[in-house]
Amino acid sequence: MSGAPRDAVTAFAALFGPPPPGPAIPVDWDAVEEWLGLRLPADYKAVATAYGPVDLGERLWIQTPYGAGHGTFDYGRWVEESRRAAPGVLPFGSTRTSGTLFWDTGASDDPDAWPVVLHDPHEERRGGDPWRRPGTTLLPTLALLVDEGLPRTLARSALAEDVTSAWTPPSRRAAPTPEQRAAFTGGGTGLDTLTALVPPPAEPYLGGRDWEWTYDQLGTALPSAYVRFMETYGGGVWCDWLRFPLPWGADRYDFAPWAEWYGDNYRSLRADYPEFHPLAAWPEPRGFLPFASSIDGDQLGWLADGDDPETWPLAIDPRHARVGPPLTGTLTGVLLAWLRGELAVEGLPRLAYPHEDPIDRVAYEPRQAPGTSGQDRPAGPAARS
């Protein structure tokens, strides 16, 4: 290490002390910068190389390129989501109060001159200006925070304790084909439109049983549109939000076991808080029968009204809001409307920010059968190339 990088590490050590014990996580900076499409400030790279991801003053983290196990942190996902919410900046740190530290990448063509900006979501919710702009680069900004009371303590980020290998940037996302763009904008609502937009896996995985087992567990047949949809795509997650469990699975979170648990739990909650739980629950008449759920705990299902499943309307039981009216349209029609940004209801929020092309948010991750390689993934805007 020579010149400015060594000076940066010396200045950082003067603020917070020497690196924590053990080697820092290795970083392939060329690969990271190629993936970002930007060069990074030399002082940040020097500190990150020497220290790795660190917790400063038990108040903020300096993040570096790494991926922790169990999905607890991934640099690539964190950067992508942060840049989506705030175009023109690049994150490098976060605070214990959900704030984010960014560089203003539009301020200069020289990354070593990028000023730091801090975003406070709590101030934004209060209606104030969430951005603080000290006008200084990384190390002077950290010195300013120390002067304002940030303790000079340092520790290796707990999320990265077991990480020993360099982070591998994800593959670039494939551009939508003309056929996919046409399916996205053409207004179709059927399964043929959905498969044109999101090619399904060659071998969709539904679980280890069959439909007759599922019907026996539930005590009913299911709408044919759902059956065709699941036989086409299998279990999986749409847009990192909406999870379709395995319809032929017997584990706790698969369709039939989950529906049984959800019905029992809902009735218990309804007995105590009827104003917040107004629905009947399957197998009660017009009972709500969930078949998909969001990562936030919202439930998508049917109001099982009558003996003919083909007539059951779709509905959402949102976790953090009152139940709304039944949805209109078919399962694939509702899903396509949500993907296109035409539908925004509690439990199915808009996927894209106003400045984004909504087709870029379309994604599907299929479940894999046990023992498979996990390489069978759909093409187009729903996959990585």
Side-chain angles (χ1 to χ4, degrees), residues 69-381:
H70 310 293
T72 51
F73 180 81
D74 180 77
Y75 175 79
R77 183 181 294 272
W78 177 66
V79 166
E80 287 182 332
E81 290 305 309
S82 298
R83 294 176 86 180
R84 284 187 61 219
V89 294
L90 183 67
F92 67 87
S94 51
T95 75
R96 272 186 163 77
T97 55
S98 301
T100 306
L101 289 77
F102 295 93
W103 290 294
D104 181 357
T105 60
S108 174
D109 292 334
D110 179 6
D112 295 326
W114 288 345
V116 171
V117 291
L118 299 91
H119 182 267
D120 180 357
H122 301 290
E123 186 64 31
E124 187 170 42
R125 285 192 287 271
R126 289 192 290 264
D129 183 359
W131 295 99
R132 180 183 176 188
R133 302 172 176 84
T136 50
T137 57
L138 174 60
L139 288 170
T141 300
L142 293 176
L144 174 64
L145 295 176
V146 167
D147 289 342
E148 293 178 349
L150 177 68
R152 293 174 176 266
T153 60
L154 175 148
R156 180 67 48 81
S157 175
L159 295 178
E161 286 180 343
D162 298 327
V163 180
T164 58
S165 59
W167 175 73
T168 302
S171 300
R172 297 188 184 280
R173 184 178 175 89
T177 66
E179 293 76 17
Q180 288 168 326
R181 179 69 68 178
F184 190 75
T185 60
T189 60
L191 187 59
D192 56 341
T193 299
L194 186 62
T195 56
L197 174 62
V198 183
E203 297 182 5
Y205 182 58
L206 285 76
R209 308 302 177 93
D210 57 26
W211 287 118
E212 291 306 317
W213 177 87
T214 302
Y215 298 160
D216 182 66
Q217 296 295 305
L218 294 171
T220 181
L222 296 171
S224 58
Y226 168 79
V227 172
R228 291 194 300 272
F229 174 83
M230 295 307 298
E231 289 179 344
T232 301
Y233 285 99
V237 182
W238 291 81
C239 305
D240 292 327
W241 179 258
L242 188 61
R243 172 183 175 270
F244 281 78
L246 299 176
W248 299 353
D251 290 340
R252 175 182 177 184
Y253 295 108
D254 293 332
F255 176 28
W258 174 259
E260 180 181 5
W261 178 89
Y262 192 82
D264 291 342
N265 186 63
Y266 192 93
R267 281 184 285 273
S268 176
L269 292 170
R270 188 179 63 198
D272 294 332
Y273 308 101
E275 68 275 22
F276 299 116
H277 301 85
L279 297 175
W282 178 260
E284 299 168 348
R286 196 174 169 78
F288 181 72
L289 176 56
F291 61 83
S293 60
S294 79
I295 61 172
D296 207 27
D298 313 283
Q299 304 294 317
L300 173 62
W302 301 283
L303 297 177
D305 190 13
D307 297 331
D308 183 4
E310 304 303 324
T311 66
W312 293 350
L314 294 166
I316 295 177
D317 179 23
R319 183 179 181 185
H320 299 298
R322 299 295 182 96
V323 174
L327 303 174
T328 59
T330 64
L331 172 57
T332 55
V334 166
L335 184 58
L336 281 161
W338 176 57
L339 297 176
R340 291 165 174 154
E342 300 166 350
L343 174 70
V345 296
E346 292 292 344
L348 290 177
R350 293 191 185 277
L351 297 169
Y353 290 98
H355 59 270
E356 294 181 310
D357 185 343
I359 196 172
D360 290 337
R361 305 311 308 163
V362 176
Y364 178 61
E365 185 72 19
R367 285 281 297 273
Q368 303 294 328
T372 59
S373 65
Q375 297 303 308
D376 179 18
R377 297 185 181 180

